[in-house]
Amino acid sequence: MELVRVTEAAALASARWMGRGQKDAADDAATTAMRTVFDTIPMRGTVVIGEGEMDEAPMLYIGEKLGTGDGPLVDVAVDPLEGTNIVANGTWNALSVVAIADGGNLLHAPDMYMKKIAVGPEAVGKIDIRASTEDNIRAVAKAKNKDVEDVLVVVLNRPRHKQLIEEIRATGARIKLISDGDVAGAINTAFDQTGVDMLMGIGGAPEGVLAAVALKCLGGEIQGQLQPQTQEEIERCKKMGIEDINKVFYMDDFCKGDDAIFAATGVTDGELLKGVQYKGEHATTQSVVMRYKSGTIRFIDGKHSLKKKPHFVLKDE
């Protein structure tokens, strides 16, 4: 529940910038608010997925220490605003996201492209990132007792996915193209009400870790392969101990151990969570928080007094 306060604060701060065309301002607002609330949480956290290296990001950089300095030693993965362009343009599925696991249990994914495939619980064990697009779609259709024509695949709308989109269409499956936000796309595969069956394509590797923690809690599955674009990125992989660039990352590679917690708050409206709504001195949020160890998934509707918590933190918190 402490983590929900973190994502709520980031969402409340960044949603003010919805549709104003200033993605950096929205990201800065989310990051500042998230950092403020993290400092009140009793934990010894280290950012392993963050806003960048220390010299690139003033806050929430990789290696930064979070929390009060007391409590459990944990790895922290953050995306204060997953979908900066979404907020700037006022479109769907922007989230504020946090994931934690025991220290040393989260993949320290480099900030580069990663090919991914993600599914919900019904299709676990049925996908293979090395298999063809058609084989994977047919396997998911069979696992979910659906016709191929009823399967819905989420894909980032990018020129690099031209061939993938053609391959999906050739099977007869349906496609939902998204502008940004493939963490939301991956999470949505685990909830029937979203209508999403699969996520496929190339996105960010750090987002792959965040999605993996959520899907671990939800009983879903994600697989990934790094896609270095330059020799420098290949060298970064080798420094991480990844000699085989074609290595497939499975759930236990992304997130080891017997416990993990994931929290997300909607910034703009999406299939799973409603975005922030403001009215006078109050605002409402909708969040989801889940824990692998207990199997609990909570949806939380929050009503916030902006007058009593102008900086998202009460003095006695």
Side-chain angles (χ1 to χ4, degrees), residues 272-317:
L272 189 63
L273 298 172
K274 289 187 65 66
V276 177
Q277 301 290 329
Y278 299 99
K279 187 175 182 181
E281 295 180 348
H282 293 88
T284 59
T285 57
Q286 191 170 63
S287 306
V288 62
V289 60
M290 52 192 90
R291 186 172 188 178
Y292 175 68
K293 195 170 194 175
S294 64
T296 304
I297 302 165
R298 290 185 175 93
F299 285 89
I300 300 169
D301 291 318
K303 184 175 181 180
H304 308 269
S305 170
L306 304 178
K307 185 177 181 180
K308 291 184 177 179
K309 293 177 65 174
H311 303 296
F312 314 110
V313 180
L314 288 172
K315 288 183 180 179
D316 61 357
E317 284 188 333

Side-chain angles (χ1 to χ4, degrees), residues 35 39 45-48 57-66 76:
R35 183 70 177 81
D39 278 347
T46 301
V47 177
V48 298
M59 291 185 178
L60 298 174
Y61 56 84
I62 296 169
E64 183 177 356
K65 305 301 181 183
L66 295 175
V76 183

Side-chain angles (χ1 to χ4, degrees), residues 16 21 23 30 32 40 64 68 73 99 121 132 137 166-167 182 184 189 197-198 213 216 230 274 298 301 304:
R16 288 287 192 194
K23 67 174 187 177
T32 300
T40 71
E64 183 177 356
T68 60
L73 190 67
S132 70
I137 290 174
E166 290 174 355
E167 291 172 355
D182 66 348
T189 65
D197 297 299
M198 306 174 66
V213 176
K216 181 178 179 117
T230 64
K274 289 187 65 66
R298 290 185 175 93
D301 291 318
H304 308 269

Side-chain angles (χ1 to χ4, degrees), residues 6-35:
V6 173
T7 56
E8 285 175 342
L12 286 164
S14 58
R16 288 287 192 194
W17 295 92
M18 179 179 171
R20 294 168 65 180
Q22 301 181 55
K23 67 174 187 177
D24 290 340
D27 196 30
D28 286 346
T31 303
T32 300
M34 183 172 275
R35 183 70 177 81

Side-chain angles (χ1 to χ4, degrees), residues 55-219:
D55 58 351
E56 299 171 359
M59 291 185 178
L60 298 174
Y61 56 84
I62 296 169
E64 183 177 356
K65 305 301 181 183
L66 295 175
T68 60
D70 301 312
L73 190 67
V74 294
D75 284 350
V76 183
V78 298
D79 197 339
L81 183 53
E82 155 70 352
T84 54
N85 286 320
I86 294 174
V87 172
N89 296 322
T91 53
W92 278 55
N93 274 323
L95 299 174
S96 173
V97 180
V98 170
I100 69 169
D102 291 335
N105 281 354
L106 290 185
L107 175 68
H108 295 209
D111 190 4
M112 64 178 66
Y113 283 138
M114 173 179 274
K115 180 181 177 183
K116 307 171 208 172
I117 181 170
V119 293
E122 291 171 288
V124 169
K126 307 300 182 183
I127 55 171
D128 185 346
I129 199 169
R130 296 163 298 186
S132 70
T133 300
E134 180 179 3
D135 286 349
N136 277 311
I137 290 174
R138 291 193 179 280
V140 171
K142 183 177 180 181
K144 301 192 76 171
N145 196 26
K146 286 187 171 187
D147 293 332
V148 168
E149 291 76 12
D150 295 332
V151 172
L152 180 59
V153 186
V154 167
V155 181
L156 278 169
N157 192 3
R158 299 287 188 273
R160 63 179 177 266
H161 289 148
K162 183 175 183 291
Q163 182 179 344
L164 173 62
I165 291 168
E166 290 174 355
E167 291 172 355
I168 296 170
R169 286 175 175 162
T171 70
R174 300 177 302 148
I175 301 175
K176 182 170 209 170
L177 293 173
I178 58 173
S179 62
D180 294 278
D182 66 348
V183 173
I187 296 170
N188 285 346
T189 65
F191 292 94
D192 286 341
Q193 66 263 38
T194 68
V196 176
D197 297 299
M198 306 174 66
L199 171 98
M200 300 181 80
I202 296 171
E207 288 80 2
V209 177
L210 285 160
V213 176
L215 287 171
K216 181 178 179 117
C217 295
L218 292 165

Side-chain angles (χ1 to χ4, degrees), residues 108 110 232-243 245:
H108 295 209
E232 180 184 2
E233 289 188 348
I234 291 173
E235 292 303 318
R236 285 178 66 191
C237 291
K238 290 181 178 177
K239 285 181 181 177
M240 289 177 58
I242 304 169
E243 294 292 336
I245 300 303

